[in-house]
Amino acid sequence: MRRRTVTPHKSLRHLPFDRTLLAQAVLSVITTNLLLLWSFNRLLRVHSRAVETLLAWAEVPWQTGREMLLLPGISAPLLRTSYVDYGTHPLYPICIVVGTLSVFVLGYRRWPTPLKPLFFVVPAALALTWAWQRFFPPGVPYTPEDFCAIWYRGEAYLWLLLPVIFAATVFLMRMPLYWKVGWLSAMMVYSFIWSVVRLAVALATFHYFGSLWMPLFYFGFGFLADFVYIVAFYSVAVGRATASLGRQAEAWQFQGWR
């Protein structure tokens, strides 16, 4: 028995562009960033106090450092810690490089193949850093306080960028506003907590194991870690949204169908 009507394939459908959603996205970016700028001084001080608490748990001595100006009227209180002295412990760098390389070699056959190059980055980065410090004195261009300043500058600007990233994607989908704001808020809170943990771990690592770890923490545990959780939040949010929209036939339009 032949059908009187033929349902077009899903590949022909698309979500129509809605100027109301675009205005909603723009207003969300402006509102979120204005709230961030208004509360930045308080937020950065809470961030520093949380890092101080974690450092105290790790028994890492710290001092209050200088105030770094991020934007006009917005400053971040920095923390001053120390490196382990490689002059007093000259075998520390060699033991660290050999130890991490040994762990990589011993676990080489057990680790999944896609992760092997990633794990090799750790001993390779430490070896390159040790060679630089050994043959190109003074070798350590930044103090832990300088690292803290670089960290705050990068994270603060990233927090201002996160609403733009979400607005250009998730906020343009036909979903309830509270749902979008909820996902954006969850990502902002996670970003703040994750930044506190990573900075505290970095400063504690420098104190106990030295400056050899600074480039690895900056490049591998800094913006790369930020990129991972941003992609994760975006993927989960878009996946949930498309699953919900897939059940709403009225939300779609069909292109190229007569």
Side-chain angles (χ1 to χ4, degrees):
M1 186 175 179
R2 299 179 62 182
R3 292 183 180 179
R4 295 182 179 180
T5 60
V6 179
T7 303
H9 192 267
K10 291 182 178 181
S11 62
L12 298 175
R13 69 182 185 175
H14 69 281
L15 290 171
F17 178 76
D18 192 337
R19 295 181 180 179
T20 303
L21 294 178
L22 178 60
Q24 184 185 94
V26 173
L27 289 175
S28 298
V29 171
I30 295 174
T31 303
T32 304
N33 281 342
L34 286 177
L35 287 174
L36 276 175
L37 292 172
W38 174 73
S39 61
F40 245 149
N41 282 322
R42 186 183 308 169
L43 191 65
L44 292 171
R45 276 158 179 74
V46 171
H47 190 288
S48 291
R49 284 197 293 269
V51 174
E52 292 168 6
T53 301
L54 294 180
L55 290 178
W57 288 349
E59 299 182 354
V60 176
W62 58 270
Q63 296 177 347
T64 302
R66 67 183 187 272
E67 289 273 338
M68 182 189 65
L69 184 67
L70 283 172
L71 293 169
I74 299 175
S75 60
L78 304 180
L79 299 176
R80 185 176 298 154
T81 57
S82 62
Y83 294 123
V84 67
D85 187 2
Y86 288 157
T88 306
H89 306 281
L91 294 180
Y92 254 45
I94 299 175
C95 291
I96 290 172
V97 173
V98 173
T100 53
L101 183 60
S102 300
V103 171
F104 172 77
V105 172
L106 291 174
Y108 184 82
R109 292 186 177 180
R110 300 181 181 180
W111 290 328
T113 301
L115 295 180
K116 291 178 181 178
L118 184 63
F119 289 155
F120 179 71
V121 168
V122 177
L126 293 174
L128 289 173
T129 306
W130 175 78
W132 175 269
Q133 294 182 0
R134 178 68 177 81
F135 299 107
F136 298 94
V140 185
Y142 303 114
T143 64
E145 186 178 5
D146 295 329
F147 180 87
C148 192
I150 296 171
W151 187 276
Y152 272 122
R153 192 177 299 277
E155 290 297 301
Y157 294 153
L158 177 66
W159 294 337
L160 293 173
L161 184 61
L162 288 181
V164 179
I165 297 174
F166 243 55
T169 53
V170 176
F171 271 80
L172 294 180
M173 306 185 77
R174 195 180 296 275
M175 296 293 292
L177 180 60
Y178 70 84
W179 185 90
K180 302 172 187 178
V181 173
W183 274 104
L184 177 59
S185 301
M187 185 172 63
M188 298 293 291
V189 171
Y190 181 88
S191 178
F192 181 84
I193 296 174
W194 188 219
S195 175
V196 169
V197 173
R198 286 181 294 155
L199 180 57
V201 171
L203 295 177
T205 302
F206 302 157
H207 175 75
Y208 287 111
F209 299 103
S211 59
L212 208 63
W213 293 85
M214 178 174 284
L216 184 63
F217 265 90
Y218 179 74
F219 292 105
F221 213 41
F223 286 117
L224 179 59
D226 287 318
F227 174 78
V228 170
Y229 77 75
I230 291 172
V231 171
F233 268 91
Y234 165 78
S235 300
V236 175
V238 172
R240 296 286 180 86
T242 52
S244 177
L245 290 171
R247 298 188 293 268
Q248 303 176 26
E250 68 279 2
W252 299 88
Q253 290 183 357
F254 292 93
Q255 183 176 8
W257 179 257
R258 297 248 193 277

